[in-house]
Each structure stands twice: as structure tokens, then as C-alpha cells.
Amino acid sequence: MNDSAHEKNVPAESPHPIVGIGASAGGLEALEQFLSHVPDHSGMAFVVIQHLDPNYKGLMPELLQRITQMKVAQAVEHMPVEADCVYVIPPNKDLSILHGALHLLDPIAPRGLRLPIDYFFRALAEDQHERAIGVILSGMGSDGTLGLRAIKEKAGLVLVQTPASAQFDGMPRSAIDKGLADIIAPAEELPDKIVSYLRHLPCVDHSEAEPILEPKPRSALEEVVTLLRVRTGNDFALYKKNTILRRVERRMGLHQIDDMRVYARYLRENPQELDLLFKELLIGVTSFFRDPSVWEHMKTAAIPALLAAYPGGKDLRAWVPACSTGEEAYTLAIVFKETLQQLKLQGRFTLQIFATDLDENAIDQARKGSYPGNIAVDVSPERLTRFFVCEENGYQVNKEIRETVIFAPQNIITDPPFTKLDILCCRNLLIYLGPELQKKLLPLFHYALVRRGCLLLGNAESVGGFTDLFTPIDNQSRIYLRTDKSLPVVEVDFPKKDVAITAAARKESKVIGPPANLQTLVEQFLLENFAPAAVLINADGDILYISGRTGKYLEPAAGKANWNIHAMAREGLRHGLAMGLKKVLRQPETVHVSGVTIGSNGGKQAVNLTIQAIDKPEALRGMLAVVFTEVQKAGKSSTRKQQTENEPLLAELHQAREELQTLREEMQTSQEELKSSNEELQSTNEELQSTNEELMTSKEEMQSMNEELQTVNTELQSKVDELSRVNNDMNNLLNSMEIATVFLDNALHIRRFTNHATHLFKLIAGDIGRPLSDIATDLDYPQLHHDAQEVLRTLVFTQKQINTRDGRWYKVRIMPYRTQDNVIDGVVITFIDFTETKKMEAELRRKPNEHNIHPI
């Protein structure tokens, strides 16, 4: 567990939950499915974050307004977030939230790797805490994943669209693969899931102070802790009740359980829920260079002061407990490398970092050192280039930094600590532990650090009452220096873990155990003064342990320190030792090599070698013991006789040594050639790597632009569909009115016409764009073109009654064509058939004439 939550931060009081929705390519369809299923008067507010083209005016608000009764608006500065409203991020802006109000910020870069979803989700988590709700819908890439981790840290709710139902499954799969999704469902089902969760969410005031629980709820919570200990072997009894209670209530809300006793029974019946709850308690939210000012102070002050204490150089040791997925440990390694380069101390200092965590899955991920591309938000381009290798889906910490860090699973409460540490970086763990446990861990940290060692805590933590053990280097950065005050040896009663004691724990217990008794001291004296000299080595010849005085037989080789027995063997010993080791490795039996003559301090010394493969005890299996037995010098006559008898053997041995020397020289030459080839290949690899990084950068920019174009294309397609529907409605309206209509542009060329217009003009679809005067017509209206020009000039409509050559009559009306922007863009001519009316009028006039002809 490595969270950065400030328990003292108070979430903004908001009477309604705020739901952040992240969507990218293909997100419009998913958003429509989601918002169309939000219940009326749900009391929730929704903030939509998308990847938008910075130069394109978005149509998202009006598109979403068509499918929801809620008010949809584009976010503006200081806009308060109200219930039953939808807010959409504007183009070319990053969106944040503070105290329930939206804030717009200019993005760092207009294009490229921008992560607006991560940015808003982080702000939402900090502002709303456990009331924050994050939703990930269709989209490419991994934007939103880091923001969801921040929401999980604050005990908020995370929902993800089912990848199979998403048009682009990159963002949903990234969130699911990181284990961040609480609920996975199609977009149209997610609103009901949120409503059900909120309905069953317990209303508890989570303040910094430990909650005062009634006996029954407390008993149920203790039962949950007991079930966790039995299932996982880890005891959370001394963790802050506030932290555990929040996580438990969150799981209860997901399962719509209101009573903790019912949830405890549910845990007993469903062991897999215990595993999920355990993982929930271990959610580690971390990032590279978290709190940059702290790391800058480490680089400029704390680490240089530590190095200055060792003018001759030193191999330093560091421990990062609760390392989560490794970002903090790698950050420390990078900062240390940069400090060495800045002070020009490369080669004089090394740093070995031990990083541990309770979550074995997080440790496995940390060992790989692979992270998504959105770490570019926290890591500068210079550091990405120097300390990371560009991969297809992100970045991997380079080999130089990975080799600095050793990751291992560890329970800091029950397992023994690392010792002789120069740096101990334990950030944002103590805030989740109870006061009793904190009082036991801080003296443990004091014991683990060397004199003047450095302790780094989180910005919400302190050494409490142990000011006599640690003195602050920088209070604001929470960097402390270990004092020389010694503590009395006390028995630390940590919660026990139901696992066997490891070899490391046994070794540590020996270091701090009681002093040896008389028998142990006597045995040690006899071994040092009377037992033969011996060494313990592995199969490669590396010396693991030395017993007695071996200076006559072994000496350090010149150059870089090399603790290999082949390199340290004195003149005359190497050949016999090499032959004996090869033999014992082929046949694991004791091998004796007699009469080996060693050059020692200008003289000769005969020695017998005994090489034995060790089978027992189990801890030493596979190792080899080499025992040196000194041979006493014989008398003169005996020596001459022995030399005469051994002359042929010595000559043969000399020849064999010369051949061996020749083979070694040839092997050395081959090694140098291979080394040269390897350097050339490495140089080529670096060039290819540089090219690959440039291509990956171009790929990220292209992907970002592709997502923006996808969003624009989807919006435009939706707009085209809407215009198509409007066009169909207009065509049907005009055709149903049986009014012939012709639309002309400013040049009086045909722009459009209705079907009834073909009864007056010989029009076909190919005539669009031709002058109307070129089209044959049945109208007896030679002034049509002139009248249309006059209407364009004066903007005064005209209306006339015109007949056709076959006796039909039409009311012709010519009007200016105005756009929505009140711009004149041609004319509209309508032809209303009133032939029947004209006939009736003629008939009525004829009847009176008939009466005049035949008067009564």
C-alpha cells in the first residue's frame, strides 16, 4: 500500500455525486447509450472529457442535447457543477474541478500526447474523495488509467464499458488490465449500476479522527479483519479503522449490502470476495517523481550531504518499503544517478535499492519496469530519453536503472527489516497505520539506518514523538537525518503472520541475538588457530566464505576487486585447483590434489588440496569446500631422491602448463574480438533504438490526431444524419403542398427544385447549376429573368399571375433567398396553381352576360 492521500484533506461538500466520463474515438455512440439511460431527476452531474481537435469547434453539446432531458452545456471557467446537468470539455483546454466548480486550463502542448481524462479524474478524486465516480467508455490508448487509480485511492467508484461493446477497446482494456474496474458492463447498463451503488452507499462521516463505532458494527468489522487474516495471513488489526472501514463500506456498496454483519457472512460464503477486499486494501497509487519539490531537494541537498560524508566513496544501500508498482524506487535510482553526474562522482559511489511490498502482483509488475505512455505527464522528455526505452505500448525503465533495484514481497509489520541502510524511503504508508504501529515502526527505521542515514517520509507524515531519533533536514519535504541516540533493546510485539520463518529472518535473528556462550567462543578459537585453511565457493568459483588464514594460497588480483578463487590463486596453484574443481563437478566425490607447489613470499611451499562437494545441510547444497593442508619440508637426501624421480613428471607438467597458457592467450584474443563485435552491435542497437524512439513519438502524435479526427468525424457524421433527416422532412413538406418551387443562386442558376416544378419547366437532375433562362418552359412569362434580377437588386419581392400556353394559370412569387446569417444568396420562385379558381371566375362572369342577352 503506497498511497499519497492526505487524510487531512476535506472533500468539497457537494449535495450531489459528480460523474466523470472519459471517452475518445467512438465515444459519441457510447455517450448516447449512457446518457439516454440515465433516470430522470437522478440527482447526478456528469462531466464529459474527450480528445478533441484543438482547432475544431465541437458539436458535442448540441449532439448530446438531442438524446437527454438534462441540460447540456460546454464548460466555462468557474462554472458550478449542478445536479441533472451534463458538462462537456471545450476544445484546446484541460479541465479541472475545485470545490465543485469547473476550471479551464491551457494545455502544455496543443498536440501530441495529451491526457485530459487522466488530468480531470485526478482533480475529481482530490476534490470529491469517496464521492468521486469515474467512467471509461470507448477510446484508443490508455488515457484515464492513472486518473482511475487516483479515484480508487480515495475509495471512489470506477466503472468501465465492456470492451466487446466498445467501438475502440483500448481505454477500457487498459483500465481492466490494471485491475481498476469495480463494475464492467455495456454503456447503457452503467447508469443503473451507479444509481444502485449510491442507493446502498452507507452515509458515514469519515473524518480524520477514528470513528466511534457502536459495539455491534465494531464486532462485525473485527470479524472482517479476522477473515482477512485467516485467508491471506496478513493482519490489518493495527491499521487505521477509518481506512479499513472506508474500503469495506465501498465493497458493501458495490454488492448493495447495508449491514456489515451481512457482509461478513457474505465473505464467509464467498472467499473470492476476501481476495478482492484484500486487493482493495492494497491499492497503491504512486507515480514517477511524485511531489517534484521533494525529489529536487533530495537531489540538491540530502543526497550530496550523504555523499560528502564518504570522501573515499562507498557502496550505499537503500530500502523502499510499500513500493507498489515500483515508480518510487525507480525515481530514487534516477535521482541518485543524476546527482552523481552533477557532482561528477561516477564510479566512486553505487546504490543498491531494496524495494518491497505486500502485493506480489505489484512486485511482479515492478520487476518488469514497463509502464504506459502516459507517464510522460510526470517524467520530463530528457529523463524519458535517458532512463527509459520506448516500447510499443509505453516505456520500460532501462537496464542500468533496473539493475539498481531489487524487488521482493515483504510484510513490513511481520518480516525482518533490511539493515545498514543509508536511505530509507517510506512515503505515505504511515498515514494508513494506527498510532500503536507507528510507534513501533519508527524505532525500527532508526535501527535499520546507519549513522547519519536519511529517512524520507510522505508530506502528510512525520516522526511524531521520536524527535530524539531523527532530526529534520527539511521539514517541508519531510526529510530526516538519523541521530546517534541508541535505543535499549526491546521486544517488539508485532502482529504475527502464519507463515514459516524465512532464511533471511533466521539470519537477521542471529545478528541481533544474544551474545555467544563459552562453548561457541572456544570452538571459534580452535577453528581460527588449529583447523586447516579453507574456503567455501560456488560452482563458478566465487568465494562465499573463508575459514582460517588463506593468505599463503590466495591473494587479491590487481585491478577491479574480483572474489573468484581462480583469479586469487597464487602462482602454482591455479592448474591443480582448476583440474580438481572440474573433476569434482563431473563426479561429486572428494578429490585430493597432492604436492602442489606454490610461490609464496619469494619461496616455495608445498600444499595438498582437498575439494569436496557439499550435500548437507540443505542450505549449503551445491557448494564446494576447498581445504588447504600445508606439507612439511623433507630432509635434503630425501629431497634429492624425490626430485630425481619427479623430473619426467615435472617436464610433462611444464609442457602441459605451456599448452594451457597458449590456449588461454588464444581464448583471451577471441574474447577481445567478441568484445569488439559486441561493442559494434551495441552501437548499432543504440542507433536503432534512437530511430525507434523517434518513430514511437511520431506514432503517438499520429494516434492523438487520429483520435481527434475520429471524434470530429463522428460528430460530423451525426450532423450529416441530422441534416439528412431535415432534408427529407423539407422535401416531403414541399411535395405535399403541391407548390412548384425553384431555388436560384445569385447568378440565377438553378440550385434546387421540387417535383412539381417539372410540370412547368423541362427540368432534370442534371440541370442543377444551369441558368434558368436556358430551360424550356410552358409559362407565358418572358420577363421572368428580368423580374428575378430586380428582386435581387431591390430585395423587394414581386408577385404576378401568369398563364401557360395550355391554359393553366399560376400565381408566381419571387422572393430573396436569405441564409440564417441574414445574407442574400439568390432567389426563391414559387408557382401556385390556381387554374380552377380562374375557371370558376370566368364561369361566374359568363352567367350574368347570358341574363343580359335574354332578359325576362
Side-chain angles (χ1 to χ4, degrees):
M1 183 184 299
N2 185 17
D3 297 344
S4 70
H6 306 305
E7 295 279 344
K8 295 180 181 179
N9 288 353
V10 179
E13 291 298 331
S14 176
H16 50 268
I18 299 176
V19 181
I21 305 175
S24 179
L28 179 58
E29 178 184 356
L31 283 168
E32 291 177 343
Q33 293 171 351
F34 181 95
L35 293 176
S36 62
H37 286 79
V38 174
D40 294 337
H41 308 295
S42 65
M44 296 182 286
F46 302 89
V47 182
V48 177
I49 311 296
Q50 275 197 305
H51 296 157
L52 300 175
D53 186 332
N55 302 317
Y56 174 72
K57 182 179 179 181
L59 303 172
M60 188 62 66
E62 55 186 278
L63 295 176
L64 295 180
Q65 188 66 78
R66 296 185 292 104
I67 51 90
T68 179
Q69 296 297 320
M70 295 183 290
K71 178 183 176 182
V72 181
Q74 192 171 80
V76 297
E77 181 66 16
H78 293 297
M79 175 180 281
V81 179
E82 300 177 353
D84 298 316
C85 291
V86 180
Y87 303 89
V88 180
I89 185 173
N92 202 28
K93 292 290 182 181
D94 281 336
L95 191 61
S96 182
I97 184 170
L98 180 64
H99 302 309
L102 298 176
H103 297 271
L104 302 181
L105 301 97
D106 292 327
I108 298 175
R111 288 195 180 274
L113 186 61
R114 289 177 52 191
L115 305 169
I117 303 175
D118 273 332
Y119 190 90
F120 180 77
F121 280 179
R122 285 181 172 182
L124 181 65
E126 289 295 329
D127 191 58
Q128 297 295 311
H129 285 208
E130 64 270 15
R131 299 181 65 85
I133 300 174
V135 178
I136 286 293
L137 301 179
S138 171
M140 295 187 291
S142 61
D143 191 11
T145 301
L146 293 180
L148 292 181
R149 289 176 70 91
I151 291 176
K152 290 279 284 186
E153 170 204 358
K154 302 293 185 179
L157 179 67
V158 172
L159 302 97
V160 177
Q161 181 181 4
T162 307
S165 67
Q167 188 174 349
F168 294 90
D169 63 357
M171 284 166 45
R173 286 198 180 279
S174 176
I176 294 171
D177 292 344
K178 298 298 181 182
L180 300 174
D182 295 313
I183 296 174
I184 304 172
E188 60 270 18
E189 297 179 13
L190 294 179
D192 286 339
K193 302 289 186 182
I194 298 175
V195 172
S196 299
Y197 170 79
L198 294 174
R199 187 181 298 123
H200 293 84
L201 187 65
C203 297
V204 179
D205 181 18
H206 297 293
S207 60
E208 174 62 18
E210 290 295 308
I212 301 175
L213 302 174
E214 298 297 328
K216 288 186 178 180
R218 185 176 183 85
S219 176
L221 183 61
E222 289 177 350
E223 184 178 354
V224 171
V225 172
T226 301
L227 291 170
L228 279 171
R229 182 172 63 245
V230 173
R231 176 72 174 178
T232 66
N234 296 284
D235 193 348
F236 291 91
L238 295 182
Y239 280 58
K240 281 187 178 178
K241 296 296 187 295
N242 192 21
T243 301
I244 300 175
L245 185 62
R246 182 185 295 121
R247 304 291 181 179
V248 170
E249 286 177 347
R250 186 176 175 283
R251 297 300 305 176
M252 290 169 59
L254 289 174
H255 294 290
Q256 303 178 20
I257 298 174
D258 299 322
D259 191 342
M260 193 175 296
R261 301 172 73 85
V262 176
Y263 182 65
R265 184 167 64 250
Y266 181 79
L267 288 175
R268 290 195 300 271
E269 296 171 354
N270 299 273
Q272 66 275 14
E273 175 65 16
L274 279 168
D275 298 333
L276 293 174
L277 178 59
F278 175 66
K279 187 175 181 180
E280 184 86 13
L281 291 168
L282 298 182
I283 283 296
V285 179
T286 183
S287 61
F288 286 97
F289 298 95
R290 198 169 200 179
D291 302 321
S293 60
V294 174
W295 293 109
E296 187 63 26
H297 194 89
M298 285 287 292
K299 180 178 177 180
T300 58
I303 295 179
L306 180 65
L307 300 180
Y310 304 100
K314 184 188 177 186
D315 295 333
L316 302 174
R317 289 161 57 93
W319 180 24
V320 183
C323 68
S324 187
T325 48
E327 287 93 330
E328 195 103 299
Y330 288 132
T331 297
L332 176 59
I334 291 172
V335 169
F336 185 80
K337 289 284 185 183
E338 290 178 339
T339 305
L340 290 184
Q341 182 181 17
Q342 180 180 339
L343 300 177
K344 298 181 180 180
L345 295 175
Q346 299 97 321
R348 293 173 57 185
F349 291 91
T350 62
L351 179 65
Q352 181 68 70
I353 302 174
F354 303 97
T356 63
D357 196 273
L358 194 59
D359 188 353
E360 295 192 15
N361 292 330
I363 288 296
D364 292 338
Q365 183 179 345
R367 286 196 183 106
K368 297 175 184 177
S370 295
Y371 299 94
N374 49 19
I375 65 169
V377 174
D378 302 309
V379 184
S380 66
E382 295 79 14
R383 283 170 170 159
L384 283 175
T385 302
R386 181 181 175 192
F387 299 108
F388 292 82
V389 177
C390 205
E391 292 183 328
E392 182 177 357
N393 297 320
Y395 298 93
Q396 183 184 34
V397 181
N398 66 19
K399 186 177 180 182
E400 177 188 15
I401 299 299
R402 291 204 315 273
E403 289 179 346
T404 306
V405 188
I406 296 176
F407 291 97
Q410 183 204 40
N411 188 334
I412 190 175
I413 302 174
T414 60
D415 294 336
F418 292 89
T419 57
K420 299 181 180 179
L421 302 171
D422 300 278
I423 302 173
L424 202 162
C425 178
C426 183
R427 304 182 69 212
N428 306 305
L429 169 67
L430 298 181
I431 57 174
Y432 293 97
L433 306 180
E436 182 182 353
L437 198 53
Q438 291 186 24
K439 291 178 182 178
K440 295 176 180 179
L441 282 180
L442 286 168
L444 189 69
F445 291 166
H446 182 273
Y447 163 76
L449 286 165
V450 299
R451 180 177 178 273
R452 309 296 290 174
C454 178
L455 173 65
L456 176 59
L457 298 179
N459 52 15
E461 300 166 337
S462 69
V463 296
F466 294 97
T467 54
D468 55 337
L469 300 184
F470 300 95
T471 179
I473 299 177
D474 182 69
N475 268 324
Q476 186 175 0
S477 300
R478 297 295 194 271
I479 304 175
Y480 300 89
L481 203 63
R482 180 192 186 274
T483 64
D484 295 335
K485 180 178 176 63
S486 60
L487 290 176
V489 179
V490 294
E491 182 69 22
V492 181
D493 183 22
F494 288 121
K496 298 301 186 292
K497 182 177 179 180
D498 300 328
V499 294
I501 300 176
T502 61
R506 290 195 298 269
K507 179 179 178 181
E508 191 67 29
S509 64
K510 291 178 183 178
V511 174
I512 62 175
N517 56 23
L518 181 61
Q519 179 181 352
T520 304
L521 295 174
V522 172
E523 289 175 352
Q524 183 177 355
F525 173 77
L526 294 174
L527 286 172
E528 290 179 355
N529 294 276
F530 297 97
V535 295
L536 183 69
I537 63 174
N538 59 19
D540 296 325
D542 297 323
I543 298 175
L544 306 176
Y545 184 82
I546 298 176
S547 175
R549 299 183 178 181
T550 58
K552 294 181 180 180
Y553 322 110
L554 305 174
E555 66 175 349
K560 186 178 179 181
N562 186 350
W563 284 87
N564 189 281
I565 195 170
H566 296 288
M568 295 182 66
R570 285 183 178 271
E571 181 183 356
L573 179 61
R574 293 179 182 175
H575 180 69
L577 180 63
M579 297 300 293
L581 288 175
K582 288 182 181 179
K583 187 174 181 180
V584 79
L585 289 174
R586 287 196 303 267
Q587 299 178 354
E589 298 178 353
T590 303
V591 174
H592 299 280
V593 181
S594 303
V596 178
T597 303
I598 303 173
S600 177
N601 298 327
K604 299 290 184 180
Q605 173 65 52
V607 65
N608 294 335
L609 298 179
T610 302
I611 306 173
Q612 180 179 351
I614 301 176
D615 187 49
K616 294 180 181 180
E618 183 65 28
L620 300 181
R621 182 187 294 273
M623 299 181 186
L624 304 174
V626 180
V627 181
F628 304 93
T629 305
E630 187 174 340
V631 179
Q632 297 296 330
K633 295 182 179 179
K636 293 184 179 179
S637 59
S638 176
T639 302
R640 287 197 193 97
K641 181 179 180 182
Q642 185 176 1
Q643 287 178 349
T644 304
E645 294 175 352
N646 290 339
E647 281 182 359
L649 295 175
L650 291 174
E652 185 179 348
L653 178 60
H654 182 69
Q655 182 180 358
R657 287 179 177 175
E658 289 181 350
E659 293 175 356
L660 181 61
Q661 182 64 28
T662 302
L663 290 174
R664 285 180 177 174
E665 291 175 355
E666 292 176 354
M667 183 179 68
Q668 186 175 359
T669 302
S670 300
Q671 286 178 342
E672 290 177 354
E673 293 175 354
L674 290 173
K675 184 178 180 181
S676 176
S677 300
N678 182 54
E679 290 175 352
E680 293 176 0
L681 290 174
Q682 186 173 355
S683 176
T684 304
N685 183 54
E686 290 175 355
E687 294 175 1
L688 292 174
Q689 185 62 45
S690 176
T691 304
N692 184 47
E693 290 175 358
E694 294 174 359
L695 292 174
M696 288 299 297
T697 302
S698 300
K699 178 186 175 183
E700 290 172 356
E701 294 177 354
M702 291 297 296
Q703 179 176 328
S704 177
M705 294 183 64
N706 187 34
E707 290 183 7
E708 295 170 359
L709 291 175
Q710 283 278 354
T711 303
V712 172
N713 182 57
T714 304
E715 292 181 1
L716 291 177
Q717 185 60 48
S718 178
K719 197 68 175 178
V720 167
D721 294 341
E722 184 180 353
L723 290 175
S724 178
R725 289 193 296 270
V726 173
N727 188 44
N728 292 334
D729 294 342
M730 183 62 68
N731 285 335
N732 282 278
L733 173 64
L734 294 175
N735 291 331
S736 65
M737 295 175 62
E738 297 184 355
I739 299 176
T741 306
V742 178
F743 298 88
L744 305 180
D745 59 20
N746 286 324
L748 300 184
H749 292 176
I750 299 172
R751 174 184 288 154
R752 190 174 184 177
F753 57 86
T754 62
N755 291 337
H756 287 83
T758 58
H759 299 163
L760 296 173
F761 299 90
K762 306 301 181 182
L763 290 168
I764 60 175
D767 289 331
I768 293 178
R770 295 180 59 191
L772 181 63
S773 57
D774 290 354
I775 306 300
T777 178
D778 293 335
L779 288 172
D780 186 10
Y781 190 8
Q783 297 85 13
L784 177 62
H785 186 269
H786 176 267
D787 289 348
Q789 286 181 328
E790 281 298 306
V791 170
L792 270 178
R793 186 179 66 82
T794 64
L795 303 182
V796 178
F797 77 90
T798 181
Q799 181 173 301
K800 294 183 178 180
Q801 295 182 359
I802 304 297
N803 66 320
T804 62
R805 295 182 179 89
D806 56 1
R808 289 174 293 156
W809 286 85
Y810 286 88
K811 184 181 292 184
V812 181
R813 185 168 185 167
I814 307 175
M815 298 180 61
Y817 181 96
R818 296 178 184 271
T819 66
Q820 288 185 348
D821 299 327
N822 199 28
V823 175
I824 303 301
D825 193 23
V827 296
V828 181
I829 307 176
T830 59
F831 304 87
I832 302 175
D833 188 350
F834 70 107
T835 303
E836 295 297 328
T837 304
K838 198 71 173 176
K839 288 181 179 180
M840 291 179 62
E841 180 182 349
E843 183 69 24
L844 290 174
R845 288 179 178 176
R846 187 170 56 252
K847 285 183 179 181
N849 291 337
E850 292 175 356
H851 290 303
N852 291 333
I853 296 172
H854 303 284
I856 297 176

